[in-house]
């Protein structure tokens, strides 16, 4: 159990500081080294440690773009969580929140909405946990073009977060703060087509210092929103700051958002030459990040 807890802590720190692309091979190796699924008969503390390792690995692999194995680990973590005593099961909600995010990201907003709505309907949730699931619900509703209901869910999340930390909030909710809420609020508004308001919120989300590495996603999505709005000067300023940062961006989701931005600029009317040049430099920087699969993942694909 202590070995798994140490692995989990190390993975969390690598993900927080360097991002999922750096942490993904170690995450896969850590789960493989933990062995076969734990039977319900082993001590609850050991099952809890394995569940937390699986959950952290699943999150990292999601942000690194390895969705099939991420979902497998998430479902293993969920199954383990449901074998634990009630007092040890709060990480089950974290697993479900990541599954919600992943389903929406992969274009399955109805499944994301099913999960988030069932959690909100059936539990006496701590305030910060409820806020997280309201945000997940809002992102799914925005994808489904249910604008009014998405905004209602976001307002509920903001009200819950305004009450401040509670003694009932699980420790794993540490990352859900105003900047996180602003970022997801901005992404929901961008999905609904309110690009000016989306840009303002994403700008707020990128302003926080010492943020986890995955929040590079918000800066990348801000550039994409500005390009969609035809705000060429602002888009150029944002992308110019990101070109040199590309090798250090740990989130594959963020790199994908930058690739979308390049395509948007390529289709845009009357794009200034300076922005087209910046877009070209960014394309070269992204192309340089395409590398052969890490050996840990090549082993996974072997029959």
């Amino acid at each position: 159990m202590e070995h798994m807890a140490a692995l989990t802590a190390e993975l969390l720190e690598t993900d927080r500081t360097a991002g999922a692309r750096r942490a993904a091979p170690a995450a896969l190796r850590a789960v493989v080294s933990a062995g076969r699924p734990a039977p319900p008969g082993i001590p609850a503390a050991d099952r809890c440690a394995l569940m937390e390792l699986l959950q952290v690995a699943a999150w990292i692999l999601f942000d690194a773009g390895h969705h099939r194995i991420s979902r497998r680990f998430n479902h293993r973590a969920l199954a383990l969580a449901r074998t634990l005593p009630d007092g040890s099961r709060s990480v089950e909600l974290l697993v479900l929140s990541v599954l919600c995010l992943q389903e929406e990201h992969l274009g399955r907003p109805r499944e994301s909405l099913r999960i988030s709505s069932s959690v909100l309907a059936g539990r006496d949730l701590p305030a910060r946990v409820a806020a997280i699931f309201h945000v997940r619900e809002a992102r799914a509703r925005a994808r489904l073009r249910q604008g009014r209901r998405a905004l209602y869910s976001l307002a509920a999340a903001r009200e819950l977060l305004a009450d401040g930390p509670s003694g009932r909030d699980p420790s794993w909710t540490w990352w859900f703060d105003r900047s996180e809420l602003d970022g997801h609020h901005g992404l929901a508004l961008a999905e609904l087509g309110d690009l000016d308001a989306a840009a303002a919120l994403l700008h707020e989300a990128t302003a926080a210092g010492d943020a986890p590495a995955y929040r590079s996603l918000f800066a990348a999505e801000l550039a994409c929103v500005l390009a969609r709005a035809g705000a060429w000067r602002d888009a150029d300023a944002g992308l110019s700051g990101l070109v040199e940062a590309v090798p250090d961006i740990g989130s594959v989701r963020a790199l994908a958002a930058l690739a979308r931005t390049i395509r948007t600029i390529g289709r845009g009317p009357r794009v200034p030459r300076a922005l087209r040049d910046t877009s070209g430099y960014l394309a070269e920087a992204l192309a340089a990040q395409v590398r052969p699969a890490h050996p840990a993942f090549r082993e996974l694909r072997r029959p």
Side-chain angles (χ1 to χ4, degrees):
M1 180 181 73
E2 291 180 1
H3 175 62
M4 281 190 283
L7 280 175
T8 301
E10 185 177 344
L11 288 173
L12 280 170
E13 183 61 15
T14 303
D15 179 56
R16 186 186 71 80
T17 58
R21 287 202 294 156
R22 276 73 178 180
L28 181 59
R29 288 195 299 267
V31 173
V32 171
S33 73
R36 303 177 70 84
I42 72 168
D46 291 343
R47 280 180 278 139
C48 187
L50 178 56
M51 174 193 67
E52 291 180 349
L53 174 62
L54 284 164
Q55 185 280 316
V56 168
W59 159 258
I60 289 169
L61 292 164
F62 159 65
D63 200 31
H66 299 287
H67 296 296
R68 181 177 60 85
I69 189 66
S70 169
R71 282 170 56 84
R72 186 194 308 171
F73 288 174
N74 259 324
H75 283 286
R76 279 182 61 188
L78 198 59
L80 270 175
R82 289 168 176 169
T83 71
L84 295 172
D86 288 345
S88 304
R89 288 180 60 176
S90 80
V91 176
E92 176 184 355
L93 295 170
L94 176 56
V95 176
L96 288 170
S97 78
V98 174
L99 282 171
C100 280
L101 186 64
Q102 187 170 43
E103 294 292 354
E104 188 275 331
H105 178 75
L106 294 175
R108 296 190 283 264
R110 293 190 186 280
E111 180 60 16
S112 177
L113 183 60
R114 183 192 68 77
I115 298 169
S116 57
S117 298
S118 67
V119 170
L120 289 167
R123 299 171 188 262
D124 177 24
L125 298 173
R128 194 157 294 224
V129 175
I132 290 168
F133 279 94
H134 278 298
V135 166
R136 298 292 187 255
E137 187 176 62
R139 292 287 306 277
R141 291 196 185 283
R143 182 72 76 98
L144 293 167
R145 298 297 185 269
Q146 298 174 6
R148 183 175 298 179
R149 298 177 78 177
L151 294 176
Y152 177 84
S153 296
L154 289 164
R158 202 164 287 277
E159 183 177 348
L160 286 163
L161 192 64
D163 291 339
S166 157
R168 295 184 63 218
D169 294 332
S171 60
W172 58 257
T173 60
W174 64 268
W175 50 270
F176 189 77
D177 56 14
R178 178 177 170 179
S179 294
E180 185 80 13
L181 176 54
D182 284 345
H184 285 284
H185 194 158
L187 292 174
L189 292 180
E191 190 69 45
L192 294 169
D194 189 351
L195 299 180
D196 289 342
L201 282 162
L202 287 166
H203 185 269
E204 288 295 318
T206 62
D210 195 29
Y214 72 84
R215 287 193 187 164
S216 58
L217 172 68
F218 295 149
E221 291 284 6
L222 173 59
C224 193
V225 166
L226 292 170
R228 286 174 58 194
W232 302 131
R233 182 177 298 179
D234 290 340
D236 192 20
L239 288 178
S240 295
L242 287 168
V243 170
E244 291 187 3
V246 163
D248 297 322
I249 290 176
S251 171
V252 170
R253 290 181 297 156
L255 297 181
L258 292 175
R260 290 201 312 274
T261 305
I262 291 170
R263 293 194 293 272
T264 299
I265 292 168
R267 297 191 298 265
R270 298 186 296 279
V271 176
R273 180 180 295 277
L275 177 55
R276 290 201 182 277
D277 289 344
T278 302
S279 179
Y281 299 143
L282 178 60
E284 292 173 5
L286 291 176
Q289 300 308 302
V290 178
R291 298 186 176 97
H294 189 277
F297 293 95
R298 290 202 295 270
E299 287 291 327
L300 192 67
R301 294 188 188 124
R302 287 184 182 177

